[in-house]
Amino acid sequence: MIRHVVMFKYQEEAEGNYKKYNLNKTKELLEKLQGKVEEIKYLHVGLNDDEADNSNYDLVLTVDVESITDLNAYQINPDHVEVGKFIKKVAMARACVDYKI
């Protein structure tokens, strides 16, 4: 099993909306992938509760898949790619770790 963990830091304003709106929209879009992308065994999206600390990342995505092959398939899945296009417009930083569990 592979765990894919991605953190994003968002712009204060992007795509005509404030950060909180874009975070909630991203959370909704990512959670919809659970039923659309067959490789996903587990998916969780968390939003940072400590808005006072600007050094924190704003959103964390955790996805479990069976193998690196499944992770690669997930990453090129058209539904995932569409969500990624939105995230690229509203995020300003990304950090990722993929590891065996």
Side-chain angles (χ1 to χ4, degrees):
M1 186 82 67
I2 302 294
R3 177 156 291 162
H4 173 67
V5 180
V6 188
M7 296 187 309
F8 297 98
K9 190 160 186 62
Y10 273 52
Q11 300 173 58
E12 290 300 321
E13 275 188 66
E15 294 297 293
N17 295 298
Y18 290 107
K19 176 167 54 174
K20 189 165 190 96
Y21 175 88
N22 287 330
L23 285 167
N24 286 317
K25 180 175 178 178
T26 303
K27 183 176 181 358
E28 181 182 319
L29 291 170
L30 287 168
E31 288 173 342
K32 287 181 182 178
L33 293 177
Q34 179 82 49
K36 292 181 178 179
V37 181
E38 68 180 68
E39 291 81 11
I40 295 173
K41 303 300 179 206
Y42 169 83
L43 182 145
H44 183 265
V45 180
L47 300 179
N48 183 36
D49 286 330
D50 186 2
E51 296 176 12
D53 187 346
N54 288 334
S55 68
N56 288 345
Y57 276 68
D58 299 303
L59 182 147
V60 62
L61 167 67
T62 304
V63 175
D64 292 348
V65 296
E66 287 293 330
S67 65
I68 292 293
T69 301
D70 284 350
L71 179 61
N72 292 335
Y74 157 75
Q75 291 176 329
I76 63 169
N77 178 285
D79 292 312
H80 175 261
V81 170
E82 279 304 307
V83 176
K85 287 178 184 177
F86 174 73
I87 293 172
K88 285 179 183 177
K89 293 177 185 176
V90 297
M92 61 185 198
R94 175 185 180 274
C96 178
V97 175
D98 299 320
Y99 60 94
K100 291 181 183 178
I101 58 172

